[in-house]
């Protein structure tokens, strides 16, 4: 019986050790996740601020001076190639760079941030809208991607549509996007709206669900 009691105590001790080890591993995972989230948040904050300051600030100021209810600006990302080769926006040297898991190489690789991808993101839209809500009450913004849901669209072209609910009696027209020291956007874009409340991925998912429901209804 004494040997049985000793063995029982050993089992309990091993179980406690395993629990402590498991808790330590979970704590490590949680800390890594918090750190990863902080790094990506800091990086995206920098990217959004750079784009807001160097591209959207000039556009919004120009739109404010017109006093229109709505006005379209056009960006052609090829015009930014000289200052942003391949559209890549580099982070400051003193800022930790986020990494992305590469399934093929099974390694973590530095995340690459591009102007094209940023313009398609809900995060940038919400960031710009937040500035408008604070500094330009009544202003709202939408971003149209020329190739969104259009295979023949140009992935380098975007339309920036600004509206001012306080000047609804004045109707604007078409303009050209202006970037601080980065050239002027050209070309008409007839893309699909990506709103601040709906990302590109969410929109595509909704469209896929809608097509599935429609097909199911037809098959009945």
């Amino acid at each position: 019986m004494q040997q049985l009691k000793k063995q029982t105590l050993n089992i309990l001790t091993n179980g406690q050790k395993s629990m402590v080890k498991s808790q330590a591993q979970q704590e490590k995972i949680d800390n890594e996740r918090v750190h990863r989230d902080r790094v990506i948040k800091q990086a995206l904050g920098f990217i959004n601020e750079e784009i807001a300051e160097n591209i959207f600030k000039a556009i919004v100021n120009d739109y404010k001076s017109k006093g229109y209810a709505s006005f379209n600006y056009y960006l052609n990302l090829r015009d930014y190639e000289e200052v942003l080769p391949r559209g890549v926006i580099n982070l400051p040297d003193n800022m930790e760079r986020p990494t992305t898991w590469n399934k093929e190489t099974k390694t973590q690789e530095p995340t690459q941030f591009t102007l094209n991808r940023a313009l398609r993101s809900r995060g940038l839209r919400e960031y710009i809208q937040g500035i408008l809500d604070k500094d330009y009450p009544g202003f709202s913004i939408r971003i149209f991607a020329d190739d969104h849901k259009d295979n023949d669209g140009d992935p380098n072209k975007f339309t920036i549509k600004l509206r001012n609910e306080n000047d609804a009696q004045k109707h604007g027209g078409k303009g050209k996007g202006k970037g601080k020291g980065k050239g002027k956007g050209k070309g008409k874009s007839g893309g699909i709206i990506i709103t601040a409340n709906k990302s590109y991925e969410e929109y595509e998912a909704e469209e896929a669900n809608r097509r599935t429901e429609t097909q199911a209804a037809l098959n009945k």
Side-chain angles (χ1 to χ4, degrees), residues 23-96:
Q23 290 175 342
Q25 290 175 334
Q26 186 60 49
E27 184 176 350
K28 180 181 178 181
I29 292 173
D30 291 341
N31 289 336
E32 289 176 349
R33 182 183 297 112
V34 170
H35 176 74
R36 186 167 60 251
D37 290 346
R38 183 170 62 249
V39 170
I40 188 65
K41 184 177 180 180
Q42 184 181 33
L44 291 176
F46 172 81
I47 297 297
N48 290 341
E49 184 178 358
E50 283 289 290
I51 296 175
E53 178 65 25
N54 293 292
I55 295 180
F56 284 89
K57 184 176 182 179
I59 292 175
V60 172
N61 285 335
D62 182 75
Y63 173 65
K64 181 183 178 183
S65 69
K66 296 182 184 303
Y68 290 136
S70 64
F71 203 82
N72 291 347
Y73 293 84
Y74 300 97
L75 297 181
N76 187 336
L77 302 193
R78 293 188 182 89
D79 297 323
Y80 295 79
E81 184 64 26
E82 184 177 348
V83 291
L84 291 177
R86 304 182 310 284
V88 176
I89 304 175
N90 294 314
L91 298 176
D93 293 336
N94 62 350
M95 182 178 293
E96 184 174 351

Side-chain angles (χ1 to χ4, degrees), residues 26-199:
Q26 186 60 49
E27 184 176 350
K28 180 181 178 181
I29 292 173
D30 291 341
N31 289 336
E32 289 176 349
R33 182 183 297 112
V34 170
H35 176 74
R36 186 167 60 251
D37 290 346
R38 183 170 62 249
V39 170
I40 188 65
K41 184 177 180 180
Q42 184 181 33
L44 291 176
F46 172 81
I47 297 297
N48 290 341
E49 184 178 358
E50 283 289 290
I51 296 175
E53 178 65 25
N54 293 292
I55 295 180
F56 284 89
K57 184 176 182 179
I59 292 175
V60 172
N61 285 335
D62 182 75
Y63 173 65
K64 181 183 178 183
S65 69
K66 296 182 184 303
Y68 290 136
S70 64
F71 203 82
N72 291 347
Y73 293 84
Y74 300 97
L75 297 181
N76 187 336
L77 302 193
R78 293 188 182 89
D79 297 323
Y80 295 79
E81 184 64 26
E82 184 177 348
V83 291
L84 291 177
R86 304 182 310 284
V88 176
I89 304 175
N90 294 314
L91 298 176
D93 293 336
N94 62 350
M95 182 178 293
E96 184 174 351
R97 189 171 179 180
T99 59
T100 304
W101 178 253
N102 187 316
K103 294 181 180 179
E104 295 182 358
T105 62
K106 299 187 182 306
T107 58
Q108 291 285 347
E109 297 180 350
T111 302
Q112 189 175 75
F113 297 93
T114 65
L115 178 57
N116 194 307
R117 184 175 181 180
L119 287 171
R120 297 170 186 272
S121 71
R122 181 174 63 180
L124 176 65
R125 279 278 289 106
E126 292 177 336
Y127 184 84
I128 300 298
Q129 187 61 56
I131 295 175
L132 296 179
D133 291 342
K134 179 182 177 181
D135 299 333
Y136 304 92
F139 281 26
S140 63
I141 190 170
R142 283 181 169 179
I143 299 177
F144 297 71
D146 192 57
D147 67 337
H148 185 68
K149 202 186 172 186
D150 182 357
N151 295 329
D152 296 324
D154 188 337
N156 292 293
K157 292 183 179 180
F158 292 81
T159 299
I160 311 301
K161 186 178 185 66
L162 282 163
R163 292 187 62 85
N164 181 5
E165 63 181 25
N166 299 321
D167 283 320
Q169 74 280 7
K170 299 178 182 179
H171 296 283
K174 304 170 184 177
K176 292 184 178 180
K178 301 177 180 179
K180 184 179 180 182
K182 297 184 183 296
K184 299 180 179 180
K186 307 177 214 175
K188 185 175 181 179
S189 173
I192 304 300
I193 300 172
I194 304 175
T195 69
N197 296 320
K198 187 184 298 180
S199 69

